[in-house]
Amino acid sequence: MTKRAVTYSTYLAIDEILAAQHPLSSGPDGRPEHDELLFIVIHQVYELWFKQLLHELAEVQRMLEAGDTDTTLHLLNRVLKILKTLVAQIDVLETMSPLQFTSFRDRLESASGFQSAQFREVEAVLGKREASAAAAQPEESDGRARIEAAQSRLSVWGSFLRFLAARGHALANDVLARDVTLPPEPDERIQDVLVSLYHEDADGALVAERLVDLDEGFQEWRYRHVKMVERTIGTKRGTGGSAGVEYLRTTLFQPVFPDLWEIRGRL
Ligand code: HEM
């Protein structure tokens, strides 16, 4: 059998990707509402970026644990550029007016970004530990298994603490041996080490600063998302069943690396 040549379209599975948009609405002329395609495409693009983020963050953790500062910084820089892209994409969706969204919103039934398994996985990789994240996914699903796995292994923060310990920063044994399934909590002993890191270890401090960028970038996405939601649906409830904007506001200004924020006033 002759081997088929690799082409742009076979390598990138273009046919599959372009066949994966299925608008549900039916406008007055029988065609889907104009804005529904944008809504679908933008979510799909987000999911692809989430996939890439997970791929990069896994490598960031491996490099931190291997003590490879240069590669860690390089990869974190890439992660930050992706986050900027994620935030910028909101501008595109904000060109959709409330009326345009209303024209097809009912067809979403209970579907919501709330159910994005990859988003919950990114949160877990960064350190969030909430049983509800996995429980919201269908039983036996790949998404649920991936979230559970991420919640039961070292987070990015845990890998960073190991990186610091390997560079000679005196972190207590119980800090390093902390149960990985517990959520991060501010710890004054870690904060003392971080303050000396900033004064004594320029390369280590660079990594810490990129983690602050990452934390801020993630919070920035949440802020832009809630403002987009507010201008598009106001105080209506979410399709995922939450109070909508009121719920989303409770997720703002919650750092994933609290110790790095706690020390700012001491530097
Ligand atoms: C018109 C556009 C959008 C509207 C009106 C909207 C609305 C909402 C609402 C109301 C929630 C709260 C949960 C619920 O009850 O449904 C939510 C959560 C969420 N949305 Fe959106 N959304 C939009 C676009 C997007 C996009 C493009 C993404 C990208 C993947 C996204 C990702 C998420 C995520 C990850 C959550 C969960 C946040 C959390 O629980 O911390 N949303 N969205």
Side-chain angles (χ1 to χ4, degrees):
M1 207 169 72
T2 50
K3 194 170 156 279
R4 279 182 60 201
V6 176
T7 66
Y8 177 82
S9 127
T10 59
Y11 178 61
L12 300 173
I14 298 296
D15 290 350
E16 287 91 325
I17 291 179
L18 296 183
Q21 294 71 42
H22 308 290
L24 290 172
S25 64
S26 170
D29 58 2
R31 292 191 303 129
E33 294 291 350
H34 180 79
D35 285 53
E36 193 177 357
L37 184 63
L38 173 67
F39 188 77
I40 294 171
V41 167
I42 209 144
H43 280 85
Q44 291 181 335
V45 171
Y46 268 108
E47 288 292 334
L48 286 175
W49 280 127
F50 292 158
K51 180 172 184 168
Q52 190 65 31
L53 269 185
L54 289 164
H55 183 65
E56 301 297 349
L57 288 172
E59 190 68 358
V60 164
Q61 288 194 259
R62 279 189 287 271
M63 291 302 108
L64 279 171
E65 288 163 36
D68 185 339
T69 313
D70 286 350
T71 311
T72 299
L73 287 171
H74 163 70
L75 292 169
L76 281 174
N77 183 43
R78 180 180 292 165
V79 165
L80 297 174
K81 303 285 181 203
I82 295 173
L83 271 177
K84 291 278 174 213
T85 303
L86 293 189
V87 172
Q89 277 176 199
I90 289 183
D91 290 345
V92 183
L93 199 49
E94 281 185 342
T95 63
M96 180 177 71
S97 75
L99 279 183
Q100 286 161 342
F101 185 44
T102 308
S103 73
F104 63 89
R105 187 178 190 229
D106 281 356
R107 309 304 298 262
L108 305 179
E109 299 181 9
S110 63
S112 162
F114 208 44
Q115 297 156 343
S116 166
Q118 288 201 107
F119 184 82
R120 296 292 178 229
E121 193 182 342
V122 172
E123 288 184 321
V125 166
L126 293 176
K128 203 163 168 181
R129 297 288 179 262
E130 264 176 31
S132 59
Q137 300 298 319
E139 273 176 50
E140 317 265 322
S141 65
D142 190 42
R144 184 190 275 221
R146 290 184 58 118
I147 296 165
E148 281 169 350
Q151 288 187 341
S152 359
R153 61 174 190 260
L154 214 56
S155 66
V156 169
W157 184 246
S159 301
F160 175 62
L161 294 182
R162 268 161 188 65
F163 166 81
L164 294 184
R167 292 174 75 81
H169 297 283
L171 284 160
N173 284 340
D174 66 298
V175 166
L176 294 169
R178 191 166 183 269
D179 182 352
V180 295
T181 62
L182 294 175
E185 266 172 24
D187 183 326
E188 275 182 28
R189 293 169 305 162
I190 299 179
Q191 290 162 27
D192 291 343
V193 168
L194 289 173
V195 170
S196 69
L197 170 84
Y198 273 79
H199 288 290
E200 292 158 17
D201 178 356
D203 285 348
L206 264 184
V207 174
E209 281 300 279
R210 294 296 78 78
L211 291 180
V212 176
D213 288 338
L214 168 57
D215 199 337
E216 193 176 345
F218 208 61
Q219 292 186 55
E220 193 183 344
W221 182 83
R222 287 189 192 277
Y223 173 77
R224 285 298 310 276
H225 172 261
V226 72
K227 294 314 281 184
M228 171 182 67
V229 175
E230 187 177 355
R231 66 184 276 170
T232 311
I233 63 167
T235 55
K236 290 180 194 165
R237 293 188 70 78
T239 48
S242 82
V245 167
E246 194 184 306
Y247 155 71
L248 289 169
R249 282 205 187 115
T250 66
T251 68
L252 298 181
F253 307 116
Q254 309 272 353
V256 277
F257 308 131
D259 287 321
L260 279 173
W261 295 92
E262 289 289 334
I263 59 161
R264 314 315 284 184
R266 291 173 59 190
L267 296 176

